[in-house]
Amino acid sequence: MSTEEREALAAQLRETERGEAASWVTYPPSPWWWPLAFGAWTFLYVLALGLLDGVAQAGATFPLALVMVGVIAWERRRRGSWPTGRPPQQLRRPMTVLFAGLLGIAGVAWLVGETVGTWPAAALAGVAVAGLVWWYGAAYDRVATQLRSRPA
Amino acid sequence: MSETTASSALAGLDPALNAPKRLAIMAVLASSSSTDFGFLREHLQVSDSDLSKQTAALEQAGYLTVHKSGRGRGGVTSYQATKAGRAAYKRHRDTLRALLG
């Protein structure tokens, strides 16, 4: 294989790497109120779980679940491309922290709900989720910016 | 890599994906569930007509499917890689890796 052929193939390979990362790292900026909205949603969801029972609980949590489905659908359309498969290595850390953080918040909120009360648990979960979503957005943006600026 | 091994490896490269723009389109589609026209145009930095031409060639090869929703200014055209398209892309990329060691 000549040097020129090798360079052409190397350029193709770089293009595949750039293309595979594109859906993960190319997206419009998230609205500033994004973390607040997730925090408010969490607050309402924990309240519904803690204060209501039976049909009333289902009547409150079902619309909230529909709102979340709507938000995901809106986000898919806004991004223009919805990534699947394994994310780039550099994005795995903020994603892992997000999922571990959500599990931790759920555990602590449950504990507070059982020992102190539903309202403090909802407030704590809402504030914690808003903070976590804000941190995740900033961390994800930092990594995505680095990956986008890699030479093609 | 010997000349013989290199030539047999080169045979694994898909002619439909040797065009850089088509390869780039399949790279995006292979790692997304669905991607719209505007996203691909921005990623490739190409004109509408050029992108339409490239996607039509890939559709004809059976590597992607086109979905249109809505009409007029609010309408969205999106693309999805087919099973055959994903397999062809993966084969092409793996061949490139093997060739470049």
Side-chain angles (χ1 to χ4, degrees):
Chain A
M1 201 184 334
S2 71
T3 309
E4 289 78 18
E5 281 173 333
R6 198 175 171 79
E7 277 172 9
L9 294 180
Q12 279 198 28
L13 192 57
R14 283 197 300 275
E15 196 53 63
T16 62
E17 286 162 2
R18 202 172 80 86
E20 286 175 21
S23 298
W24 293 97
V25 302
T26 312
Y27 50 87
S30 296
W32 63 267
W33 45 264
W34 206 233
L36 298 177
F38 276 94
W41 185 91
T42 305
F43 176 75
L44 292 173
Y45 197 80
V46 174
L47 276 188
L49 290 182
L51 298 178
L52 305 172
D53 279 313
V55 177
Q57 188 185 68
T61 53
F62 183 67
L64 283 171
L66 280 185
V67 166
M68 191 52 79
V69 169
V71 165
I72 291 168
W74 177 67
E75 179 68 358
R76 280 182 80 125
R77 192 179 165 95
R78 206 173 71 91
R79 285 180 76 126
S81 184
W82 194 250
T84 54
R86 285 169 72 82
Q89 177 73 35
Q90 297 91 325
L91 284 171
R92 287 183 206 154
R93 185 181 163 271
M95 293 172 95
T96 306
V97 172
L98 175 72
F99 290 120
L102 289 174
L103 282 178
I105 291 168
V108 172
W110 176 80
L111 203 62
V112 171
E114 290 293 310
T115 56
V116 184
T118 298
W119 284 91
L124 178 81
V127 170
V129 164
L132 182 63
V133 169
W134 175 83
W135 173 87
Y136 174 72
Y140 193 104
D141 280 346
R142 261 196 310 277
V143 176
T145 304
Q146 284 168 7
L147 292 175
R148 277 196 306 269
S149 60
R150 279 190 313 194
Chain B
M1 189 181 283
S2 75
E3 282 297 314
T4 320
T5 318
S7 348
S8 69
L10 277 168
L13 290 174
D14 189 323
L17 299 179
N18 269 331
K21 289 171 193 167
R22 286 180 213 157
L23 181 63
I25 291 168
M26 287 310 298
V28 175
L29 296 185
S31 33
S32 63
S33 57
S34 168
T35 297
D36 71 30
F37 188 90
F39 186 98
L40 284 175
R41 186 185 53 209
E42 290 302 310
H43 177 71
L44 271 76
Q45 297 285 300
V46 293
S47 65
D48 288 8
S49 60
D50 193 4
L51 181 56
S52 297
K53 202 170 75 181
Q54 304 300 337
T55 52
L58 289 167
E59 187 185 13
Q60 203 167 16
Y63 289 177
L64 61 78
T65 53
V66 188
H67 305 269
K68 290 178 196 275
S69 60
R71 283 167 180 264
R73 286 179 67 82
V76 176
T77 301
S78 58
Y79 303 95
Q80 278 182 311
T82 60
K83 203 172 167 185
R86 285 178 196 275
Y89 168 75
K90 188 176 179 300
R91 209 163 39 242
H92 189 92
R93 187 199 55 196
D94 291 348
T95 304
L96 285 173
R97 284 184 181 157
L99 282 165
L100 295 166

Coordinates of all heavy atoms in Angstrom, one line a residue, chain A residues 32-80:
Chain A
W32 N -31.7 27.3 30.3 CA -31.1 27.6 31.6 C -32.0 27.0 32.7 O -31.5 26.6 33.8 CB -31.0 29.1 31.9 CG -32.3 29.8 31.8 CD1 -32.9 30.4 30.8 CD2 -33.2 30.0 32.9 NE1 -34.1 31.0 31.1 CE2 -34.3 30.8 32.4 CE3 -33.2 29.7 34.3 CZ2 -35.4 31.1 33.2 CZ3 -34.3 30.1 35.1 CH2 -35.3 30.8 34.6
W33 N -33.3 26.8 32.5 CA -34.3 26.4 33.5 C -34.3 24.8 33.6 O -35.1 24.3 34.4 CB -35.7 26.9 33.2 CG -36.1 26.9 31.8 CD1 -36.0 27.8 30.9 CD2 -36.7 25.7 31.1 NE1 -36.5 27.4 29.7 CE2 -36.9 26.1 29.8 CE3 -37.1 24.4 31.5 CZ2 -37.5 25.2 28.9 CZ3 -37.6 23.6 30.6 CH2 -37.8 24.0 29.3
W34 N -33.6 24.2 32.8 CA -33.6 22.7 32.7 C -33.4 22.1 34.1 O -34.3 21.3 34.5 CB -32.5 22.3 31.8 CG -32.6 21.0 31.0 CD1 -31.6 20.0 31.0 CD2 -33.6 20.5 30.2 NE1 -32.0 19.0 30.2 CE2 -33.2 19.3 29.7 CE3 -34.8 21.0 29.8 CZ2 -34.0 18.5 28.8 CZ3 -35.6 20.3 29.0 CH2 -35.2 19.0 28.5
P35 N -32.3 22.4 34.9 CA -32.2 21.8 36.2 C -33.4 22.1 37.1 O -33.8 21.2 37.9 CB -30.9 22.4 36.8 CG -30.2 22.9 35.6 CD -31.2 23.3 34.6
L36 N -33.9 23.4 37.0 CA -35.0 23.7 37.9 C -36.3 22.9 37.6 O -37.0 22.4 38.4 CB -35.4 25.2 37.7 CG -34.3 26.2 38.1 CD1 -34.7 27.6 37.8 CD2 -33.9 26.0 39.6
A37 N -36.5 22.6 36.3 CA -37.6 21.8 35.8 C -37.5 20.4 36.4 O -38.5 19.8 36.8 CB -37.7 21.9 34.3
F38 N -36.3 19.8 36.3 CA -36.2 18.5 36.8 C -36.3 18.4 38.3 O -36.9 17.5 38.8 CB -34.8 17.9 36.4 CG -34.8 17.3 35.0 CD1 -34.4 18.1 33.9 CD2 -35.2 16.0 34.8 CE1 -34.4 17.6 32.6 CE2 -35.2 15.5 33.5 CZ -34.8 16.3 32.4
G39 N -35.8 19.5 39.0 CA -36.0 19.6 40.4 C -37.4 19.7 40.8 O -37.9 19.0 41.7
A40 N -38.2 20.5 40.1 CA -39.6 20.7 40.4 C -40.4 19.4 40.1 O -41.3 19.0 40.9 CB -40.2 21.8 39.5
W41 N -40.0 18.7 39.0 CA -40.7 17.4 38.7 C -40.4 16.4 39.8 O -41.4 15.7 40.2 CB -40.1 16.9 37.3 CG -40.8 15.7 36.8 CD1 -41.9 15.7 36.0 CD2 -40.5 14.3 37.1 NE1 -42.3 14.3 35.8 CE2 -41.4 13.5 36.4 CE3 -39.5 13.7 37.9 CZ2 -41.4 12.1 36.5 CZ3 -39.5 12.3 38.0 CH2 -40.4 11.6 37.3
T42 N -39.2 16.3 40.2 CA -38.8 15.4 41.3 C -39.6 15.7 42.6 O -40.1 14.8 43.3 CB -37.3 15.4 41.6 OG1 -36.6 15.2 40.3 CG2 -36.9 14.4 42.6
F43 N -39.7 17.0 42.9 CA -40.4 17.4 44.1 C -41.8 16.9 44.1 O -42.3 16.3 45.0 CB -40.3 19.0 44.2 CG -41.1 19.5 45.3 CD1 -40.6 19.5 46.7 CD2 -42.3 20.2 45.1 CE1 -41.4 20.0 47.7 CE2 -43.1 20.8 46.1 CZ -42.6 20.7 47.4
L44 N -42.5 17.2 43.0 CA -43.9 16.8 42.8 C -44.1 15.3 42.8 O -45.0 14.7 43.4 CB -44.5 17.4 41.5 CG -44.6 18.9 41.5 CD1 -45.0 19.3 40.1 CD2 -45.6 19.4 42.5
Y45 N -43.1 14.6 42.2 CA -43.2 13.1 42.1 C -43.1 12.5 43.5 O -43.9 11.6 43.9 CB -42.1 12.6 41.2 CG -42.4 11.2 40.7 CD1 -43.3 10.9 39.7 CD2 -41.7 10.1 41.3 CE1 -43.5 9.6 39.3 CE2 -41.9 8.8 40.9 CZ -42.8 8.5 39.9 OH -43.1 7.3 39.5
V46 N -42.1 13.0 44.3 CA -41.9 12.4 45.7 C -43.2 12.8 46.5 O -43.6 11.9 47.3 CB -40.6 13.0 46.3 CG1 -40.5 12.5 47.8 CG2 -39.4 12.5 45.5
L47 N -43.7 14.0 46.4 CA -44.9 14.3 47.1 C -46.0 13.4 46.8 O -46.8 12.9 47.7 CB -45.4 15.7 46.8 CG -44.7 16.9 47.5 CD1 -45.4 18.2 47.1 CD2 -44.7 16.7 49.0
A48 N -46.2 13.1 45.5 CA -47.3 12.2 45.0 C -47.1 10.8 45.6 O -48.1 10.2 46.1 CB -47.3 12.2 43.5
L49 N -45.9 10.3 45.6 CA -45.6 9.0 46.2 C -45.8 9.0 47.7 O -46.3 8.0 48.2 CB -44.2 8.6 45.9 CG -43.8 8.3 44.4 CD1 -42.4 7.8 44.3 CD2 -44.7 7.2 43.9
G50 N -45.5 10.0 48.4 CA -45.5 10.0 49.8 C -46.9 10.4 50.4 O -47.2 9.9 51.5
L51 N -47.6 11.3 49.8 CA -48.9 11.8 50.3 C -50.1 11.1 49.9 O -51.2 11.1 50.5 CB -49.0 13.3 50.1 CG -48.0 14.2 50.6 CD1 -48.2 15.7 50.2 CD2 -47.9 14.1 52.2
L52 N -50.0 10.4 48.7 CA -51.2 9.9 48.1 C -51.1 8.3 48.1 O -50.1 7.7 48.1 CB -51.4 10.4 46.7 CG -51.5 11.9 46.5 CD1 -51.5 12.3 45.0 CD2 -52.7 12.5 47.2
D53 N -52.3 7.7 47.9 CA -52.4 6.3 47.8 C -53.3 5.9 46.7 O -54.2 6.7 46.3 CB -52.9 5.7 49.1 CG -51.9 5.6 50.2 OD1 -50.8 5.1 49.9 OD2 -52.1 6.0 51.3
G54 N -53.2 4.6 46.2 CA -54.2 4.1 45.3 C -54.4 4.9 44.1 O -53.5 5.3 43.4
V55 N -55.7 5.1 43.8 CA -56.1 5.7 42.5 C -55.6 7.2 42.5 O -55.1 7.7 41.4 CB -57.7 5.7 42.4 CG1 -58.1 6.5 41.1 CG2 -58.2 4.3 42.3
A56 N -55.6 7.9 43.6 CA -55.2 9.2 43.7 C -53.7 9.3 43.3 O -53.3 10.2 42.6 CB -55.4 9.8 45.1
Q57 N -52.9 8.4 43.9 CA -51.5 8.4 43.6 C -51.3 8.1 42.1 O -50.5 8.8 41.4 CB -50.8 7.3 44.4 CG -49.3 7.4 44.3 CD -48.6 6.2 45.0 OE1 -48.7 5.1 44.6 NE2 -47.9 6.5 46.1
A58 N -52.0 7.1 41.5 CA -51.9 6.8 40.1 C -52.3 8.0 39.3 O -51.6 8.4 38.3 CB -52.7 5.6 39.7
G59 N -53.3 8.7 39.7 CA -53.8 9.9 39.0 C -52.8 11.0 39.0 O -52.9 11.9 38.1
A60 N -52.0 11.1 40.0 CA -51.0 12.1 40.0 C -49.7 11.7 39.3 O -49.0 12.5 38.7 CB -50.7 12.5 41.5
T61 N -49.3 10.5 39.5 CA -48.0 10.0 39.0 C -48.1 9.8 37.4 O -47.1 10.0 36.7 CB -47.4 8.8 39.7 OG1 -48.4 7.8 39.6 CG2 -47.0 9.1 41.1
F62 N -49.2 9.4 37.0 CA -49.4 9.1 35.5 C -49.1 10.4 34.7 O -48.3 10.3 33.7 CB -50.7 8.5 35.2 CG -50.9 8.1 33.8 CD1 -50.1 7.1 33.2 CD2 -51.8 8.7 33.0 CE1 -50.3 6.7 31.9 CE2 -52.0 8.4 31.7 CZ -51.2 7.4 31.1
P63 N -49.8 11.5 35.0 CA -49.5 12.7 34.2 C -48.1 13.1 34.3 O -47.5 13.6 33.4 CB -50.4 13.8 34.9 CG -51.5 13.0 35.6 CD -50.9 11.7 36.0
L64 N -47.5 12.9 35.5 CA -46.0 13.3 35.7 C -45.2 12.4 34.8 O -44.2 12.9 34.2 CB -45.6 13.1 37.1 CG -46.1 14.3 38.1 CD1 -45.8 13.9 39.5 CD2 -45.4 15.6 37.8
A65 N -45.5 11.2 34.7 CA -44.8 10.3 33.8 C -44.9 10.7 32.4 O -44.0 10.7 31.6 CB -45.2 8.8 34.0
L66 N -46.2 11.1 32.0 CA -46.4 11.6 30.6 C -45.6 12.8 30.3 O -45.1 13.0 29.2 CB -47.9 11.9 30.5 CG -48.9 10.7 30.2 CD1 -50.3 11.2 30.0 CD2 -48.4 9.9 29.0
V67 N -45.5 13.7 31.3 CA -44.7 14.9 31.1 C -43.3 14.5 30.8 O -42.6 15.1 29.9 CB -44.8 15.8 32.4 CG1 -43.7 16.9 32.4 CG2 -46.1 16.5 32.5
M68 N -42.7 13.6 31.5 CA -41.3 13.1 31.3 C -41.2 12.5 29.9 O -40.2 12.8 29.2 CB -40.9 12.1 32.4 CG -39.5 11.8 32.4 SD -38.4 13.3 32.4 CE -38.4 13.8 34.1
V69 N -42.2 11.7 29.5 CA -42.1 11.2 28.1 C -42.1 12.3 27.1 O -41.4 12.3 26.1 CB -43.3 10.2 27.9 CG1 -43.5 9.8 26.5 CG2 -43.2 8.9 28.8
G70 N -43.0 13.3 27.3 CA -43.0 14.4 26.4 C -41.7 15.2 26.4 O -41.3 15.6 25.3
V71 N -41.1 15.4 27.5 CA -39.8 16.1 27.6 C -38.7 15.3 26.8 O -38.0 15.9 26.0 CB -39.3 16.2 29.0 CG1 -37.9 16.6 29.1 CG2 -40.2 17.3 29.7
I72 N -38.8 14.0 26.9 CA -37.8 13.2 26.2 C -38.0 13.3 24.7 O -37.1 13.4 23.9 CB -37.8 11.7 26.7 CG1 -37.3 11.6 28.1 CG2 -37.0 10.8 25.7 CD1 -37.5 10.3 28.8
A73 N -39.3 13.2 24.3 CA -39.7 13.3 22.8 C -39.2 14.7 22.3 O -38.7 14.8 21.2 CB -41.2 13.1 22.7
W74 N -39.5 15.8 23.1 CA -39.1 17.1 22.7 C -37.6 17.2 22.5 O -37.0 17.8 21.6 CB -39.6 18.1 23.7 CG -39.2 19.5 23.5 CD1 -39.6 20.3 22.4 CD2 -38.3 20.3 24.2 NE1 -39.0 21.6 22.5 CE2 -38.2 21.6 23.6 CE3 -37.5 20.1 25.4 CZ2 -37.4 22.6 24.1 CZ3 -36.8 21.1 25.9 CH2 -36.7 22.4 25.3
E75 N -36.8 16.6 23.5 CA -35.4 16.7 23.5 C -34.8 15.9 22.2 O -33.9 16.3 21.6 CB -34.8 16.1 24.8 CG -33.3 16.0 24.9 CD -32.6 17.4 25.0 OE1 -33.4 18.4 25.0 OE2 -31.4 17.4 25.1
R76 N -35.5 14.8 21.9 CA -35.0 14.0 20.7 C -35.1 14.9 19.5 O -34.3 14.9 18.6 CB -35.9 12.8 20.6 CG -35.6 11.6 21.4 CD -36.5 10.4 21.1 NE -36.0 9.7 19.9 CZ -35.8 8.4 19.9 NH1 -35.9 7.7 21.0 NH2 -35.4 7.9 18.8
R77 N -36.3 15.6 19.4 CA -36.5 16.4 18.2 C -35.6 17.6 18.1 O -35.1 17.9 17.1 CB -38.0 16.8 18.2 CG -38.4 17.4 16.9 CD -39.9 17.8 17.0 NE -40.2 18.7 15.8 CZ -40.8 18.3 14.7 NH1 -41.0 17.1 14.5 NH2 -41.0 19.2 13.8
R78 N -35.3 18.1 19.3 CA -34.5 19.3 19.4 C -33.0 19.0 19.0 O -32.3 19.8 18.4 CB -34.5 19.8 20.9 CG -34.2 21.3 21.1 CD -34.5 21.6 22.5 NE -33.6 21.0 23.4 CZ -32.4 21.6 23.8 NH1 -32.2 22.8 23.4 NH2 -31.6 21.0 24.6
R79 N -32.6 17.8 19.4 CA -31.2 17.4 19.2 C -30.9 17.1 17.7 O -29.8 17.3 17.2 CB -30.8 16.2 20.0 CG -30.5 16.6 21.5 CD -30.1 15.4 22.3 NE -28.8 15.0 22.0 CZ -27.8 14.8 22.9 NH1 -28.1 15.0 24.2 NH2 -26.6 14.4 22.6
G80 N -31.9 16.5 17.0 CA -31.8 16.2 15.6 C -31.2 14.8 15.4 O -31.2 14.3 14.3

